[in-house]
Amino acid sequence: MTKAATKRQSAAQTAQASLSRRFFAYLIDWYVGGLATALPVAFFSMRQYQTVQNQNIMQFTAPYGVVAGVLALICAVLYYAVIPACVWKGQTPGKRMLHLKIVHTDGTDVTAGTIFLRQLVGIIVLEGGLVTASTIWHQVATLLTGVELVKPLMYVGMVVSVISALLVAARNHTAIHDRLAGTQVVQQA
């Protein structure tokens, strides 16, 4: 692609996504990503308790809680980071359905490193109050360390999530994870 064509593509991608489209893309990703993340947990729950309703890996017999949690985190990484980094450049399934795309603030395509920073560090670790993968990593960390981390990390994640949501609503649609990674979500042409 020529430099002129790249600039035209970047210019076509700079219209920021509306709050409503971003919200609905988030809902799709929250639901489908949560299902993907929960699959290994449901498998181990079924094997141990003959039901998929026990989703608390901290109640699983050792070492199955840690194994289920690590597999769940791998599924979360695949859904939230590998797909938008390697399959649909800059798009989670929810963003793809709503014709949204994650790009650098200058409108250029994001790199895999940027996606991993935004999605994993920004959303799952920092803002993770409302994401299934965050609950899983809190539980795995608790199981591995023996220190109760679930509630403190959940409360911190919720506070950070609320602040991030307020920033999206108030200041040019830029969440904490976007600021961290130098990204924005745009309407795809």
Side-chain angles (χ1 to χ4, degrees):
M1 188 178 283
T2 67
K3 284 187 178 182
T6 302
K7 282 189 176 188
R8 281 193 304 273
Q9 180 185 14
S10 294
Q13 293 182 158
T14 57
Q16 281 199 331
S18 70
L19 287 177
S20 60
R21 287 181 91 79
R22 254 187 108 158
F23 177 72
F24 285 116
Y26 169 80
L27 286 180
I28 292 166
D29 287 330
W30 173 79
Y31 183 75
V32 179
L35 288 175
T37 302
L39 281 175
V41 176
F43 173 80
F44 281 95
S45 177
M46 191 65 184
R47 300 269 309 171
Q48 286 195 315
Y49 306 107
Q50 288 70 48
T51 179
V52 297
Q53 293 181 349
N54 184 359
Q55 295 288 305
N56 184 350
I57 63 172
M58 293 176 57
Q59 295 177 353
F60 289 12
T61 306
Y64 298 115
V66 172
V67 172
V70 168
L71 291 173
L73 290 173
I74 289 169
C75 288
V77 168
L78 289 170
Y79 185 90
Y80 291 107
V82 173
I83 289 174
C86 303
V87 180
W88 295 323
K89 301 291 184 187
Q91 294 180 301
T92 58
K95 284 181 178 52
R96 186 167 177 87
M97 288 174 68
L98 292 171
H99 307 287
L100 302 177
K101 187 173 183 178
I102 303 163
V103 297
H104 287 288
T105 53
D106 65 3
T108 59
D109 286 339
V110 289
T111 62
T114 301
I115 286 290
F116 277 76
L117 178 63
R118 180 188 191 273
Q119 301 292 92
L120 301 181
V121 176
I123 294 175
I124 293 175
V125 174
L126 294 178
E127 296 180 31
L130 304 173
V131 181
T132 303
S134 297
T135 302
I136 297 293
W137 92 258
H138 299 162
Q139 291 177 352
V140 169
T142 295
L143 287 170
L144 292 174
T145 64
V147 176
E148 168 53 48
L149 297 170
V150 175
K151 286 183 182 174
L153 290 174
M154 178 188 67
Y155 291 129
V156 168
M158 286 184 164
V159 169
V160 173
S161 293
V162 168
I163 292 168
S164 188
L166 291 172
L167 286 172
V168 168
R171 300 189 77 209
N172 71 0
H173 304 267
T174 307
I176 290 173
H177 53 268
D178 288 313
R179 291 169 187 268
L180 174 71
T183 59
Q184 64 180 336
V185 179
V186 297
Q187 182 71 40
Q188 192 176 26

